[in-house]
Amino acid sequence: MDPKLTEVSQQFGRFKAALVRNDFSTCTTLLSQLKVLLTEFNSLPPLFEETPNAVHELTLARDIYEHAVILSVKMEDQDAFERDFFQLKPYYTDAGGCIPPSPQEYPILGLNLLRLLVQNRIAEFHTELELLSSAALENPCIKHAVELEQSFMEGAYNRVLSARQTVPHETYVYFMDLLAKTVRDEIAGCSEKAYDYLSISDARQMLLFSSDQELAEYIKEEHPEWEIKSGSVYFQKAKESAPSKEIPSLQLINQTLSYARELERIV
Amino acid sequence: MEVDTASSANQAPAKHVLPELEIYCYLLVLLFLSDQKRYNEAKACSSASIVRLKTLNRRTLDVLASRLYFYYSYCYEITGDLAEIRGNLLALHRIATLRHDELGQETLLNLLLRNYLHYNLYDQAEKLRSKAPRFEAHSNQQFCRYLFYLGKIRTIQLEYTDAKEALQQAARKAPISARGFRIQCNKWSVLVRLLLGEIPERTIFMQKGMEKALRPYFELTNAVRIGDLELFRTVAEKFATTFNTDRTHNLIVRLRHNVIRTGLRNISISYSRISLEDVAKKLRLDSPNPVADAESIVSKAIRDGAIDATLDHANRCMVSKETGDIYSTNEPQMAFNSRIAFCLNMHNEAVRALRFPPNTHKEKESAEKRRERQQQEQELAKHIAEEEDDDF
């Protein structure tokens, strides 16, 4: 076997061991060394040279990047996740012909979809979705993310929250927790418009707080315009400021002037 | 490379004939081969012609070259090797840009977009599109294609208003004989309008020669219009194969949300007060906890302004507000404004389209002269306008 390849495999073995121990500082140093070592292989993207060890090298590199993605989730580092994922992606899309598909492919793609959802990058979410085959869409990991997006768009927030119990992969929990926070803000925004008032216990339940104390703190921080009196939360103030009966004069002047200009051009 | 005997025979006398003639022969052979469905030979011929083209740099060739590019890509698409020529097309596009061959750039940009979209690479397509140089279109057909691809990209990225504009313009500008293209444009624009919450008119589905192709989309529109989730589901299943071949399946999944909205709007108009349980039943939400779902769905619809209502949590019901007089709001004025803007825009575009492209060989001096002339015209127009004012 190629000595370089052996070196990388050994290094990777140490990295995996550190990952199991959750020793993140060792992991990051090993990973950056590994990435430098990988640059010496010519068979990897973007060169795709057909060297005798190509299959072996590609598989190893893919494995390394897959672990890098998982590491970034464990370290809760979203930027690192994005970087590692983009490095990994060519192995799925362009190297599919040379190496057998990885069992980790769908969980990681699903994880990426979830990340885009959490970061509210819906356009990119759909762009990624178009790349998936219909077989991939049936995969539980992908399906999970797709259904979440649907429920999220519809407003069926409790379905989003109950999906946390049915995560297809342990790494999903981190993003699901982040999603729960987004959902809470959404619910707060919706309730403010939809209800006149809510009893404190109902509001607590809806906004997923375990105690009234937490609710009160949340209101103080995020929505100071809400009013708490006689056991209920009143949203009146937030509503009153919304409509104003003013004539949009500047806009009207602009429009009329533009009509005049255009008509002059025609006549 | 793939140069076969026929094309190398063509190359031998190349020194004596005009390059235009030679390229024209390539084009004829290519057309003949693809008509005979001998696609592998056509592929070899087109590749050879492209190799030859790269060595020639004559402005008189631009029009012929752009035709060749098109058939080059066409042959590879038919045989399913579109990904192979992507690098080559990019190189050709670069060459065309360097040589200021605008027609070639236009054609190649479209071919590249088509190439990317064929593999659903919307991200790459958009990146290329936004960075490629833009100029006024030379060929109407290429411009139509460009608009169609742009519409598709915008749809996937959820920018429905832009997408609608591009797709409708593409459908309008396309020549009558391009029926397949117009059908595709219509399919996409119907979906985009549905996603925007509009209901396309019936006349769209009744256009001559399109009734059959647009049938699935007609039924889909119907389901969305009524707001019936059950009907929507059956239509989506019934025509699943059509939607899959049209590659619009993912868009239809997105529509579910609009069906719920329409259903909800109908309920809110008909009832002044209705329990959430009934809302869930009427919307036919099939979930383990329909009432809670209904409540949050309704509250989101209220926040997004789709319905005007309030929720009563204690009594578990939705109370619709009296619908106010729409003429007391700015709504009519806004609608009127958008129509005026549309008409004026149409007029301006028509005027612009009437002008002839400047003569290419004396472009430099005429550009300056044209500016001068336009200035004079404008001044003249101003004078006339002033005089008219004085008259009154």
Side-chain angles (χ1 to χ4, degrees), chain B residues 12-144:
Chain B
K15 284 162 197 120
H16 311 294
V17 286
L18 284 169
E20 287 83 3
L21 218 54
E22 185 193 343
I23 296 299
Y24 184 58
C25 290
Y26 268 121
L27 188 60
L28 285 182
V29 172
L30 200 51
L31 283 176
F32 173 73
L33 287 174
S34 47
D35 262 355
Q36 301 285 313
K37 308 214 182 305
R38 285 151 72 177
Y39 293 115
N40 281 324
E41 287 165 55
K43 245 167 83 173
C45 172
S46 63
S47 307
S49 69
I50 296 296
V51 171
R52 181 85 184 98
L53 255 183
K54 275 187 187 169
T55 61
L56 299 166
N57 183 9
R58 287 168 77 114
R59 291 290 66 76
T60 40
L61 269 177
D62 287 351
V63 179
L64 280 172
S66 70
R67 307 299 298 162
L68 264 185
Y69 298 146
F70 175 80
Y71 285 106
Y72 173 54
S73 164
Y74 175 75
C75 296
Y76 277 84
E77 185 175 339
I78 292 281
T79 45
D81 303 318
L82 216 45
E84 237 172 72
I85 57 165
R86 197 178 298 150
N88 224 339
L89 287 179
L90 281 167
L92 285 170
H93 185 259
R94 203 162 48 231
I95 293 174
T97 312
L98 289 174
R99 291 179 182 169
H100 298 289
D101 168 12
E102 295 195 342
L103 190 64
Q105 282 181 61
E106 218 168 63
T107 316
L108 286 163
L109 178 63
N110 278 337
L111 291 177
L112 277 165
L113 289 180
R114 185 181 181 82
N115 201 315
Y116 283 128
L117 296 191
H118 187 79
Y119 296 97
N120 283 340
L121 295 165
Y122 287 92
D123 200 20
Q124 281 91 326
E126 168 60 16
K127 280 187 179 136
L128 173 72
R129 193 204 60 78
S130 56
K131 292 191 173 62
R134 288 293 306 148
F135 37 80
E136 216 152 294
H138 286 264
S139 140
N140 184 42
Q141 282 92 325
Q142 294 300 342
F143 189 53
C144 285

Side-chain angles (χ1 to χ4, degrees), chain A residues 150 154 158 194-195 255 259, chain B residues 253 256 293 295 311 333 337:
Chain A
Q150 266 183 41
E154 273 166 33
N158 52 337
Y195 300 98
Q255 280 173 8
Y259 299 157
Chain B
V253 173
R256 190 185 131 86
D293 273 4
E295 186 166 358
L311 278 169
Q333 192 239 329
N337 177 45

